[in-house]
Amino acid sequence: MSAATTRSRTPDRLCAEAVDLARAAAEEAAAPGVVGEHTGLVSEGDRVVTHFFECKEMGYRGWRWAVTVARASRAKIVTLDEVVLLPGPDALLAPEWVPWSERLRPGDMGPGDLLPTDADDLRLEPGFSGEDEPPPNSPVSDDMAELVEAEDAEVAGGAPAKLPIAPRRGSIAAVAEELGLRRARVLSRYGLHTAADRWEEGFGAKTAMAQAAPASCVSCGFLVPIGGSLGQAFGVCANEFAPADGRVVSLTYGCGGHSEAAVMPKPPQPAPPRLDETRVDPFPLRPSPDSGSVPVDADAEAEADLGHS
């Protein structure tokens, strides 16, 4: 170890004693009352020392005011170099910066926002753009031209074989455009898998709603099928009262709004009454002679009719 290295690690005495100078510089740069106690110093080199002061600023827990002082060779006056606020070992720091493209989450985009995609986005792969279309004199183009000539003779002014280029309607690019396949890029298998995982997590069989559902969406009349390979596992819910209305749902998803979940029963018919309360039964004041409840007495009956005096 050289003498210069040993000398640089030992703080200069005059610079180390310049605590008041360093504090005054820190208080001048900071707001009043935010410079705390002197917490230490470190030697930055020959006759260069940095003093640290506690920072009492709200929101800067663990930060320190670092004031660097120095003096010239053979000089007895210590001068000020710089004053900065630096984080300490246990300082409260902001999270690591993340690019905007990685911070974006579903639902963050608003009206007018643009989300560019990278040229090498793993979710996309090249589609059919027409650039790899075979020349007009290739067998494929001849076959397509003959087909056009047979179906519609008014496509061009002459025979397809005599045209400098293949007819527009019979070209591969025209057929691809008609089928909706002429796009610069389409979803790759990775893009399809990530979309399927995302939809399965939101409206799939493992959700609490699906676990309590009486049946799955595959048998629901409100399910609108979708095309493509994802149509084998997903559809669109069209039940306005369902929690997934207008959303892409898994065929294994389900909710209480299933079209066959509950059939409204017919209103129950009341049982016939045991007693007919609408009919009046007449009861005679006198027993009937043929009832057998009382003996027939002609004298008593005559007295009842005449009364007693």
Side-chain angles (χ1 to χ4, degrees), residues 1-264:
M1 184 179 297
S2 62
T5 305
T6 306
R7 185 168 58 252
S8 63
R9 290 185 178 180
T10 303
D12 182 76
R13 182 179 62 84
L14 295 179
C15 292
E17 293 176 354
V19 178
D20 295 339
L21 174 64
R23 176 181 294 277
E27 292 177 349
E28 182 179 356
V34 298
V35 180
E37 301 294 332
H38 184 262
T39 59
L41 56 89
V42 62
S43 176
E44 304 288 355
D46 292 341
R47 297 177 299 278
V48 181
V49 174
T50 298
H51 294 270
F52 296 102
F53 297 90
E54 179 186 2
C55 179
K56 295 183 178 181
E57 185 83 22
M58 296 296 296
Y60 286 86
R61 186 189 66 192
W63 287 65
R64 303 177 299 178
W65 288 101
V67 182
T68 303
V69 295
R71 70 179 181 89
S73 177
R74 300 179 183 177
K76 296 183 178 180
I77 300 177
V78 179
T79 58
L80 178 66
D81 278 3
E82 62 179 357
V83 180
V84 293
L85 182 62
L86 299 178
D90 56 344
L92 180 63
L93 301 176
E96 185 179 357
W97 183 81
V98 179
W100 174 83
S101 59
E102 299 179 12
R103 295 197 309 268
L104 192 65
R105 293 293 179 267
D108 290 349
M109 293 188 62
D113 294 341
L114 298 178
L115 178 60
T117 55
D118 297 333
D120 55 350
D121 195 323
L122 296 178
R123 299 171 299 173
L124 300 173
E125 63 183 9
F128 179 79
S129 60
E131 297 179 357
D132 52 350
E133 184 180 359
N137 57 352
S138 66
V140 177
S141 295
D142 291 340
D143 293 341
M144 296 300 295
E146 292 177 2
L147 179 61
V148 171
E149 184 180 7
E151 292 182 351
D152 191 355
E154 298 180 357
V155 173
K162 299 180 180 180
L163 296 178
I165 57 175
R168 168 69 179 167
R169 183 176 176 182
S171 63
I172 296 179
V175 176
E177 185 173 358
E178 183 177 354
L179 297 178
L181 302 177
R182 192 173 184 183
R183 292 176 289 171
R185 289 190 292 179
V186 295
L187 276 175
S188 62
R189 293 185 61 86
Y190 174 77
L192 291 173
H193 282 297
T194 54
D197 293 342
R198 187 170 59 254
W199 297 342
E200 183 72 27
E201 183 179 358
F203 298 97
K206 296 183 179 180
T207 59
M209 182 67 71
Q211 294 292 333
S216 59
C217 293
V218 68
S219 60
C220 181
F222 295 108
L223 181 74
V224 179
I226 61 176
S229 58
L230 291 177
Q232 303 176 9
F234 297 95
V236 179
C237 178
N239 188 352
E240 60 178 326
F241 301 107
D245 179 36
R247 304 290 188 88
V248 179
V249 297
S250 172
L251 298 183
T252 57
Y253 180 73
C255 67
H258 195 281
S259 61
E260 314 302 326
V263 179
M264 297 299 295

